[in-house]
Amino acid sequence: MPKRPANIVRNPGKRWFDRASRARDHGNLVEAEAFFRRSLALRQKILGPEHPAAAQSMNHLANVLFEEERYAEAEPLYRESLTMRKKTLGPEHRDVASSLSNLANLLLNTGRPAKAERLYRQSLKLRKNIYGPRHENVAMCLSNIAILLQNTGRSAQAETHFRKALAMLEEVLGPGHPLTGYTRANLADFLRLTGRSVEAIPVVRQAYGDLRAALPTKHRYVWWARKVLDDLRKS
């Protein structure tokens, strides 16, 4: 009887997980959901329902549901994967910080900004402890907090956070990296919403050009930069 490849034995569900991630990057969310569900089911069956790999698949499945605005389905998955990660990895693990931020994104998008802010700040503190003060994961958490500050009327603080996050990403990843471009697009949208469209246009054009060069056409970051650019043209 032929042996299964060693990587499949050691990491069941990885093939489905990788296929799901590629589908998500190309904007194929229906396909991504199906593959993440297969990865989750396989990992739960072979590794157990609380294994960190199962929590990883569950968290990424929730990300897809979140992008589809299926918030009621995504929230219990985010909460369960966060609980699993705290239990199996410990409360100060980097995956816990990621889960905190993901759940905060959902809370913000479902009208619970105070609860979201508490989780974002927990995630930020963890990430600074894990990675140090200047890291892309710290910068992305700052960018998330900036969006929350923007949505809750604290524009001056929001701009400070956006610019700090962008400067950090330019330093640690470079100006053309997708995370840098995405954050640049977020800054441009902030400038648009605060009545500074003239200032925003060159910012989003750079973001859109960099993202188009680095990512598939239907990637969520490219879609977002294009939307910001279209909104600016209409304003």
Side-chain angles (χ1 to χ4, degrees), residues 16-232:
W16 293 116
F17 184 91
D18 291 344
R19 289 183 68 180
S21 298
R22 287 193 295 272
R24 183 185 177 208
D25 284 346
H26 285 83
N28 301 325
L29 296 184
V30 173
E31 192 174 271
E33 179 185 346
F35 291 156
F36 278 132
R37 288 191 185 279
R38 291 188 183 188
S39 172
L40 175 60
L42 191 58
R43 286 173 165 179
Q44 287 177 325
K45 179 180 178 180
I46 295 175
L47 301 172
E50 293 187 340
H51 193 277
Q56 181 194 41
S57 293
M58 185 178 293
N59 179 73
H60 281 71
L61 171 59
N63 285 338
V64 172
L65 297 172
F66 174 82
E67 287 171 35
E68 294 181 316
E69 300 183 2
R70 294 159 61 185
Y71 301 134
E73 296 174 69
E75 183 168 349
L77 297 180
Y78 277 140
R79 291 189 181 279
E80 185 176 354
S81 60
L82 173 59
T83 299
M84 290 160 62
R85 283 173 162 177
K86 284 182 176 180
K87 182 177 179 179
T88 59
L89 300 172
E92 297 185 354
H93 193 273
R94 61 186 182 182
D95 289 349
V96 171
S98 177
S99 283
L100 286 169
S101 189
N102 287 338
L103 179 56
N105 290 340
L106 184 142
L107 293 173
L108 179 59
N109 276 267
T110 53
R112 291 170 280 178
K115 292 181 179 179
E117 184 166 357
R118 284 196 293 273
L119 296 188
Y120 278 140
R121 295 199 182 278
Q122 287 177 37
S123 179
L124 180 62
K125 182 178 179 180
L126 273 179
R127 288 177 173 185
K128 285 182 175 179
N129 289 341
I130 294 165
Y131 301 111
R134 303 192 70 77
H135 188 275
E136 60 260 34
N137 290 334
V138 173
M140 293 309 294
C141 198
L142 286 172
S143 182
N144 287 334
I145 293 172
I147 294 170
L148 183 144
L149 293 168
Q150 174 185 338
N151 290 352
T152 52
R154 291 172 279 177
S155 295
Q157 294 179 56
E159 182 169 358
T160 297
H161 280 67
F162 275 130
R163 294 193 181 279
K164 184 175 181 180
L166 180 58
M168 193 181 298
L169 289 168
E170 287 179 327
E171 176 188 332
V172 300
L173 297 178
H177 191 277
L179 291 179
T180 308
Y182 177 65
T183 303
R184 199 184 306 280
N186 284 335
L187 173 60
D189 193 52
F190 166 80
L191 295 172
R192 177 185 70 85
L193 291 171
T194 51
R196 297 154 66 184
S197 295
V198 173
E199 187 178 349
I201 288 173
V203 176
V204 74
R205 281 179 175 165
Q206 180 180 350
Y208 183 56
D210 290 343
L211 290 168
R212 279 293 307 274
L215 295 172
T217 303
K218 293 184 179 180
H219 192 281
R220 58 196 177 277
Y221 290 176
V222 178
W223 174 88
W224 172 241
R226 184 169 58 246
K227 183 180 183 302
V228 175
L229 183 57
D230 289 343
D231 288 344
L232 277 163

